[in-house]
């Protein structure tokens, strides 16, 4: 039942983000959702399966949000704009922040060896290649170095956003605004560019990522 499955994923996301995966039992998820424990097992074979489904669900939501943002933004094909949309989407998903940071306190040691390769290495590399082919990356830059720089900046933004404090959201927004400007000035071509080719290419790329996360395309497919 889709409605029950979605409810269980929402409840599990809140509990894991607050307590951590190790301290969240299947019985806790069932109680918080107001269903019997057996109902959870009818949707998910195990607690590990629940976590896998949860991370997949959050990844699909993130991809959909970024795609919608790129679609709605006239400059959505520019690296700085795409980077901002992607970072905002990640920062709004605590479990994906924990996955990116490899936070065993939240997700447990089970996830440290899986999922990070696609999200932190392969996908950014494909995005940069796509934008470079569309003429939206400054000529002469080493794509691998650019990838590492953007990854380091994203890691810093995630660490900043996860700090507690009433003023943290505003501080994160201000930092993100400056970061977007730095990316635009340092990594995009000088002068006016047409973002539409990049926008179309990124849209197709995000669709392919979505198919891959959903399990409909093998990981090595192009």
């Amino acid at each position: 039942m889709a409605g029950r499955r979605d409810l269980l994923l929402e409840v599990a996301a809140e509990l894991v983000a607050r307590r951590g995966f190790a301290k969240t039992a299947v019985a806790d998820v069932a109680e918080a959702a107001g269903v019997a424990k057996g109902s959870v097992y009818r949707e998910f074979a195990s607690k590990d399966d629940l976590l896998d489904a949860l991370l997949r669900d959050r990844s699909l939501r993130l991809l959909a949000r970024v795609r919608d943002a790129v679609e709605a933004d006239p400059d959505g094909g520019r690296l700085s704009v795409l980077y901002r949309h992607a970072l905002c989407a990640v920062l709004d998903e605590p479990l994906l922040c924990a996955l990116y940071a490899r936070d065993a306190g939240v997700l447990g040691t089970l996830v440290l060896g899986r999922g990070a390769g696609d999200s932190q290495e392969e996908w950014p590399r494909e995005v940069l290649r796509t934008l470079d082919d569309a003429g939206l990356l400054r000529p002469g830059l080493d794509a691998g170095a650019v990838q590492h720089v953007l990854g380091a900046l994203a890691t810093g933004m995630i660490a900043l956003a996860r700090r507690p404090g009433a003023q943290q959201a505003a501080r994160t927004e201000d930092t993100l605004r400056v970061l977007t400007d730095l990316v635009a000035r340092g990594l995009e071509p000088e002068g006016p560019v047409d973002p539409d080719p990049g926008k179309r290419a990124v849209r197709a790329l995000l669709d392919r990522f979505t198919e891959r996360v959903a399990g409909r395309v093998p990981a090595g497919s192009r």
Side-chain angles (χ1 to χ4, degrees), residues 94-189:
L95 296 185
L96 294 184
C97 286
L99 180 62
Y100 197 99
R102 303 199 180 192
D103 188 340
V106 174
L107 295 176
T109 57
L110 182 69
V111 299
L112 297 186
R114 69 169 103 155
D118 276 351
S119 62
Q120 292 174 241
E121 296 294 337
E122 184 179 357
W123 293 3
R125 182 167 57 247
E126 290 191 39
V127 169
L128 288 172
R129 184 186 301 119
T130 296
L131 293 180
D132 193 22
D133 290 344
L136 292 169
L137 192 64
R138 184 183 290 268
L141 292 177
D142 179 81
V146 172
Q147 179 181 339
H148 286 303
V149 168
L150 294 179
L153 292 173
T155 299
M157 283 297 303
I158 289 170
L160 175 67
R162 297 178 80 197
R163 293 176 184 171
Q167 303 300 316
Q168 195 56 55
R171 188 177 298 117
T172 299
E173 180 61 33
D174 290 342
T175 305
L176 187 59
R177 190 176 302 110
V178 173
L179 179 57
T180 301
D181 186 60
L182 287 173
V183 172
R185 291 173 182 269
L187 301 180
E188 294 180 0

Side-chain angles (χ1 to χ4, degrees), residues 1 5 7 12 21 32-33 40 44 46 52 60 64 109 124-125 129 132-133 168-169 181 192 203 222:
M1 184 184 301
R5 184 181 179 88
L7 172 62
F21 178 69
V40 180
F44 308 100
S46 65
D52 283 340
L60 288 171
T109 57
R125 182 167 57 247
R129 184 186 301 119
D132 193 22
D133 290 344
Q168 195 56 55
D181 186 60
R203 187 189 309 137
R222 287 287 179 191

